Amino acid sequence: MNLENAVKFHSPKSPQFTDSPRATASEALTGTDVMGALGMVQSRSPLGFSAFNGKMELSENDKKNAIRLLTQHGLKHCGKVAALRKLETNIKLKVVQTLATFAFSSWSRSAATPGARCKDCKGTGRACNREVTERTGVFTEKDCDRCGGIGFNKLPAASVYRALSSHVTADQWKKGVTQFYESLITELEKSENHANSMLRLVTTSFEEIN
């Protein structure tokens, strides 16, 4: 089981969940199994678990917790960026918290996010490769040029900078802070992947026991 499969646990239609057909009903994961597994994942991968739940709009508290945990992560690593290292403690906290909030917002965007769907590909991430299609006479697709194949427009970096402009100069943003901001988005991706791996490991163990 992975995190996406576990979403149905929040509004279950039956007390048993399983990713693939089982030989007998007793081999399926029970509601108790799933609840226990999610509790273990939350304990061992708190940022990934909270970030996923927040992204899926399952819990407003998890969304806030994800931003809080990402802010803590950012404060531990922001010393590597000169522009952030030199800030006063209270200002540094405010800046890193703002970066964490924008990072979560950017990371959690999808084609379903209001106003984010790519206007060219309508959220599919694919577009006609006119050059190849005209040359070969065979309809050929490629990644959408506007969104890069992801189906939605990323949160503009300019919006992030504007929120920090009273504490970070344009030069500082380009030479270090923007990379730090991108690293926070990467941390969310890594954390979600870790939470997914933990859930698979834990639920596999439950299946073996059952």
Side-chain angles (χ1 to χ4, degrees):
M1 173 179 282
N2 58 29
L3 290 170
E4 289 189 359
N5 297 138
V7 169
K8 57 191 174 185
F9 179 67
H10 292 267
S11 56
K13 294 183 178 179
S14 72
Q16 294 182 326
F17 307 94
T18 178
D19 291 336
S20 57
R22 304 293 182 182
T24 66
S26 64
E27 292 177 338
L29 290 171
T30 67
T32 301
D33 289 337
V34 175
M35 182 176 292
L38 292 176
M40 293 180 70
V41 173
Q42 183 177 23
S43 174
R44 299 181 184 181
S45 189
L47 175 55
F49 181 82
S50 293
F52 175 80
N53 286 347
K55 177 177 69 172
M56 299 299 291
E57 301 289 344
L58 298 176
S59 167
E60 186 64 28
N61 285 336
D62 275 323
K63 183 184 298 185
K64 293 177 181 178
N65 191 49
I67 294 173
R68 180 182 64 81
L69 291 171
L70 187 61
T71 298
Q72 291 178 356
H73 168 84
L75 288 171
K76 289 180 181 179
H77 295 84
C78 68
K80 300 175 183 178
V81 183
L84 300 179
R85 185 172 61 248
K86 297 176 181 179
L87 293 174
E88 295 180 6
T89 302
N90 60 326
I91 299 299
K92 183 187 301 182
L93 172 60
K94 181 179 179 180
V95 168
V96 174
Q97 188 174 50
T98 299
L99 287 169
T101 301
F102 273 101
F104 179 83
S105 179
S106 181
W107 173 77
S108 60
R109 282 165 77 91
S110 71
T113 303
R117 181 189 297 185
C118 177
K119 296 179 179 179
D120 286 3
C121 68
K122 309 301 181 185
T124 66
R126 305 295 292 169
C128 174
N129 188 325
R130 297 185 182 281
E131 181 182 348
V132 176
T133 298
E134 292 175 0
R135 185 175 70 248
T136 64
V138 178
F139 178 76
T140 306
E141 288 187 333
K142 65 174 182 176
D143 286 343
C144 174
D145 291 331
R146 178 185 288 272
C147 68
I150 60 177
F152 60 93
N153 299 313
K154 293 183 178 180
L155 194 65
S159 298
V160 185
Y161 171 66
R162 281 196 297 271
L164 304 172
S165 58
S166 60
H167 304 297
V168 176
T169 67
D171 192 52
Q172 289 173 329
W173 170 255
K174 293 177 182 177
K175 292 184 177 180
V177 181
T178 183
Q179 290 86 352
F180 178 74
Y181 167 67
E182 292 294 337
S183 76
L184 294 180
I185 297 176
T186 299
E187 182 63 24
L188 287 168
E189 189 67 32
K190 288 169 53 180
S191 296
E192 183 188 30
N193 289 338
H194 181 263
N196 250 325
S197 297
M198 288 302 305
L199 184 57
R200 290 194 187 96
L201 178 64
V202 174
T203 52
T204 297
S205 298
F206 283 156
E207 288 168 0
E208 291 176 350
I209 293 173
N210 291 334

